């Protein structure tokens, strides 16, 4: 009886505490933001003057901008330091993060290589062994590149015989790369480092040299000046970079912002792809057996996304969405490679195709409502089998070299950490190769896919993941994450950070918005240019679905997204500030009138259009551009803008100007803060220590502004006790 009374008393006490949490929150503290000076800069578009008072923040090299960054961070970290459970959340993130993570093995030359992170290493280490059972040795450790872990490994590429390795590195998160060549046997660097390389693969021609891509170094700021003339070069080992041969690009009247060259596996052909934007490419081919003959045109327009995936002698296999929005594979002879000669090999279906090759077969991976399905075909186009996958989720890795008999693929979803499976290509048998040992029980969680209706009646899928048995009472802290652009598909994938969020009783919801690639080219185009508002409407409708169905309420809803997803958050919070409690725009494209004037931003015009196209496009962009739609007298949600001072993809000036606008016009007491990571870029290669700190700050800010003074899970634990 005493025990029963004690539990009843404890339950009443905790419920009382939970109410007190909402009432005693410190989030109504008035913050003293740094004063951001205004200038008289005015831009004129089709006779309309647009004030740009924070233009000076675009100068990433100025002393004033540096001072502003330091002052903003002082206020932001002062606020974050006051959150009582921030360190506790950081510790839990570190504890769960600290498990061994091992990538799929791959064979190059005499060795089998794999990536591994012991747990909290800032960067993954590459190991290798000669035969099964051998003790793996460290081959390349990026953690030794810099003391603070901010120099990261980019791409790697082995020569055809596996005896040489070319790898790229990024310093401070920049997209600019250096390329280093080393002897794979001795691990010794064999020549001078190549510099000033950007948005590039590395593709070897035999063992003598490789192709790479870059821009001319900009005359202004390396991190923000416009770069719009991409070129492909060939580097022959033993020669100086200044003598590298220009293969394609550099014609002033024909600018291509993204160009790459790659060699077919049999070393017979060079393929050149040239794009003016992030969608659509021209395609060319060169037969190495005919050195006197130049590039032969396959496609002379950018109306499709097309590439060569395989060849058997002169027979080419191309993946294309030309007249096939969901993609298909066609064949053609290299002597007559233009579209009128194409023959369907794997025809288009109602689902989006993303194929791979290896072991003498094609692997047709399809997205069925954003979930993976894989079919195996032979080289005659005959379906061999429907591959049985471990569950409902996302797979990757269905590809290997032609001579291999096995491949390794990974499987994951929102509640299942990435596991690796060994697939025997001839028999179709999958077996678990490696499962991570992580302090997170997936069986305690569930994912559910729902379909909701957007403003114009379009059905949009969304996957909602949370602890089993949660009460749909409208009080669950919820993160709604979205992207909606550039043909990018959000498929189910595990995240340690999101696992910790759900561990606290949180809900994680991901809608597949228009603008993405989940349903092919038509779905993508439906969220571009003059139809971009569809993306924001889809996101708003997702939030309304969660609220109407009592998963959460506006008081417990946070919206989050990065890059193009940062634009999504910025536009949504300025259009519907009442809809959410917290907004988390990360490295966002937020000034839609000037985005195309920085680095490679002009290449995003396929999705956005530009303010210089015509008056109608200008008016449309101005109508949703987050920087230009912050209004006085409006209470915006608690906002934590995040960016990196070395982001040279979406320059931090976007975030700087948006934060300044919010701070100058915010009504009410919701905090408007900007967290600027120093010596960091757009996200790739960020050290684990920094990632953990970022998530601890983001999630603690979110929960604190939802009214929590202690972590929600601790309240739940007390009730259970």
């Amino acid at each position: 009886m005493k025990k029963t009374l004690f539990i009843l008393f404890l339950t009443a006490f905790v419920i009382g505490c939970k109410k007190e949490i909402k009432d005693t929150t410190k989030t109504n503290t008035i913050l003293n933001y740094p004063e951001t000076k205004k200038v008289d800069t005015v831009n004129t578009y089709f006779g309309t003057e647009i004030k740009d008072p924070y233009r000076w923040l675009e100068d990433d090299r100025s002393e004033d901008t540096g001072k502003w960054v330091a002052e903003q961070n002082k206020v932001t970290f002062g606020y974050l330091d006051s959150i009582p459970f921030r360190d506790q959340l950081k510790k839990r993130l570190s504890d769960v993060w600290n498990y061994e993570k091992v990538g799929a093995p791959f064979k190059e030359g005499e060795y089998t290589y794999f990536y591994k992170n012991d747990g909290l290493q800032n960067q993954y280490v590459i190991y290798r062994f000669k035969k099964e059972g051998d003790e793996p040795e460290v081959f390349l450790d990026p953690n030794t590149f810099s003391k603070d872990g901010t120099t990261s490994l980019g791409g790697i590429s082995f020569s055809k015989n596996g005896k040489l390795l070319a790898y790229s590195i990024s310093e401070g998160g920049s997209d600019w790369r250096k390329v280093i060549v080393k002897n794979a046997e001795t691990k010794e660097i064999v020549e001078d480092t190549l510099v000033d390389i950007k948005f590039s693969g590395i593709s070897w021609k035999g063992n003598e040299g490789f192709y790479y891509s870059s821009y001319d170094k900009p005359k202004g700021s390396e991190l923000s000046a416009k770069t719009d003339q991409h070129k492909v070069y060939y580097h022959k080992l033993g020669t100086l970079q200044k003598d590298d041969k220009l293969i394609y690009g550099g014609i002033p009247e024909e600018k291509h912002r993204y160009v790459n060259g790659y060699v077919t596996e049999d070393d017979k052909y060079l393929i050149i792809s040239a794009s003016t934007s992030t969608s659509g490419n021209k395609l060319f081919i060169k037969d190495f057996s005919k050195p006197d003959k130049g590039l032969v045109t396959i496609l002379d327009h950018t109306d499709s996304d097309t590439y060569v995936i395989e060849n058997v002698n002169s027979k080419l296999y191309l993946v294309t969405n030309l007249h096939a929005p969901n993609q298909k594979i066609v064949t053609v002879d290299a002597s007559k490679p233009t579209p009128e000669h194409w023959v369907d090999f794997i025809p288009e279906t109602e689902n989006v195709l993303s194929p791979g090759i290896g072991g003498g077969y094609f692997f047709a991976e399809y997205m069925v409502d954003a979930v993976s399905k894989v079919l195996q075909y032979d080289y005659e186009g005959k379906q061999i089998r429907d591959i049985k996958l471990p569950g409902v989720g996302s797979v990757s890795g269905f590809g290997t070299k032609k001579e291999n008999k096995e491949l390794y693929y990974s499987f994951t979803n929102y509640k299942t950490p990435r596991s690796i499976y060994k697939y025997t290509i001839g028999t179709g048998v999958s077996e678990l190769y490696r499962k991570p040992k992580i302090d997170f029980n997936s069986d305690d969680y569930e994912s559910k896919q729902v379909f909701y209706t957007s403003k114009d009646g379009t059905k949009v899928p969304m996957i909602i993941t949370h602890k089993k048995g949660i009460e749909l009472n409208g009080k669950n802290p919820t993160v709604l994450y979205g992207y909606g652009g550039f043909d990018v598909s959000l498929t189910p994938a595990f995240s340690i950070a999101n696992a910790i969020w759900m561990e606290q009783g949180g809900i994680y919801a991901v809608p597949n918005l228009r603008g993405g690639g989940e349903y092919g080219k038509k779905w993508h185009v439906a969220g571009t240019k003059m139809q971009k508002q569809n993306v924001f409407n889809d996101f708003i409708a997702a939030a309304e679905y969660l609220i109407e169905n009592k998963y959460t309420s506006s008081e417990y809803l946070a919206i989050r997204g990065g890059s193009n997803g940062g634009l999504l958050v910025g536009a949504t919070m300025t259009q519907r500030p009442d809809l959410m409690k917290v907004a988390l725009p990360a490295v966002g494209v937020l000034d839609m009138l000037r985005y195309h004037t920085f680095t490679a931003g002009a290449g995003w015009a396929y999705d956005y259009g530009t303010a210089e196209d015509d008056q109608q496009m200008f008016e449309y962009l101005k109508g949703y551009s987050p920087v230009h739609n912050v209004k006085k007298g409006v209470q915006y949600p608690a906002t934590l803008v995040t960016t990196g001072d070395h982001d040279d993809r979406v320059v931090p000036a976007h975030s700087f100007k948006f934060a300044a606008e919010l701070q100058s016009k915010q009504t009410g007491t919701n905090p408007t803060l900007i967290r600027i990571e120093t010596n960091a870029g757009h996200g790739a290669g960020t050290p684990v220590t920094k990632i953990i700190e970022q998530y601890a700050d983001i999630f603690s800010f979110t929960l604190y502004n939802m009214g929590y003074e202690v972590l929600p899970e601790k309240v739940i634990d007390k009730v259970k006790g």
Side-chain angles (χ1 to χ4, degrees), residues 30 66 75 158 190 238 258 275 299 381 416 447 464 511 614 622 649 657 669 701:
I30 301 296
V75 172
F158 284 86
V190 299
Y258 310 106
S275 305
L299 282 171
T416 307
S447 277
I464 306 170
D614 54 51
K622 181 169 69 72
R649 192 172 309 175
K657 292 163 78 170
T669 57
F701 176 88

Side-chain angles (χ1 to χ4, degrees), residues 472-490:
L472 300 184
N473 57 9
K475 296 183 179 179
N476 300 298
T478 298
V479 168
L480 177 64
Y481 179 88
Y483 189 78
F486 296 96
D487 205 23
V488 171
S489 301
L490 295 187

Side-chain angles (χ1 to χ4, degrees), residues 248-313:
Y248 188 89
I251 303 173
E253 61 273 16
E254 188 182 28
K255 291 185 177 180
H256 292 104
R257 298 184 180 95
Y258 310 106
V259 181
N260 67 81
Y262 55 99
V263 179
T264 55
E265 188 176 342
D266 63 359
D267 249 5
K268 183 173 176 59
Y269 296 106
L270 169 67
I271 311 297
I272 297 286
S273 172
S275 305
T276 56
S277 70
T278 51
S279 288
N281 65 286
K282 297 176 184 178
L283 196 64
F284 308 92
I285 186 169
K286 178 177 176 57
D287 187 339
F288 287 126
S289 68
K290 301 174 181 178
D292 296 332
K293 192 172 182 179
L295 293 171
V296 173
T297 300
I298 299 177
L299 282 171
D300 62 359
H301 57 76
T302 59
D303 297 341
S304 71
D305 300 284
T306 302
Y307 61 94
V308 176
I309 189 174
E310 173 65 307
N311 72 292
V312 177
N313 297 317

Side-chain angles (χ1 to χ4, degrees), residues 88 202-203 215 272 321 380 383 394 402 411 443 445 464 479 488 515 522 538 550 560 598 645 654 670-671 710:
Q88 185 183 350
I202 302 170
S203 185
Y215 303 91
I272 297 286
N321 59 14
E380 301 305 314
Q383 183 181 329
S394 305
K402 193 173 293 187
F411 172 82
D443 294 337
Y445 298 81
I464 306 170
V479 168
V488 171
K522 291 179 181 178
D538 289 355
K550 303 296 183 183
R560 183 166 178 260
F598 305 113
D645 68 347
H654 286 275
N670 286 335
V710 297

Side-chain angles (χ1 to χ4, degrees), residues 659-690:
E661 289 285 353
L662 284 170
Q663 289 178 355
S664 69
K665 295 176 180 176
Q666 171 74 292
T667 295
T669 57
N670 286 335
T672 299
L673 301 172
I674 180 167
R675 184 190 188 280
I676 306 155
E677 191 72 69
T678 55
N679 208 24
H682 200 60
T686 303
V688 166
T689 51
K690 286 181 179 284

Side-chain angles (χ1 to χ4, degrees), residues 205-226:
K205 170 67 171 71
N207 309 299
E208 295 82 30
F210 53 83
Y211 295 88
Y212 68 91
S213 307
S214 193
Y215 303 91
D216 293 333
K217 200 69 175 278
K219 294 179 181 179
S221 167
E222 181 180 319
L223 297 177
S224 61
K226 192 172 184 177

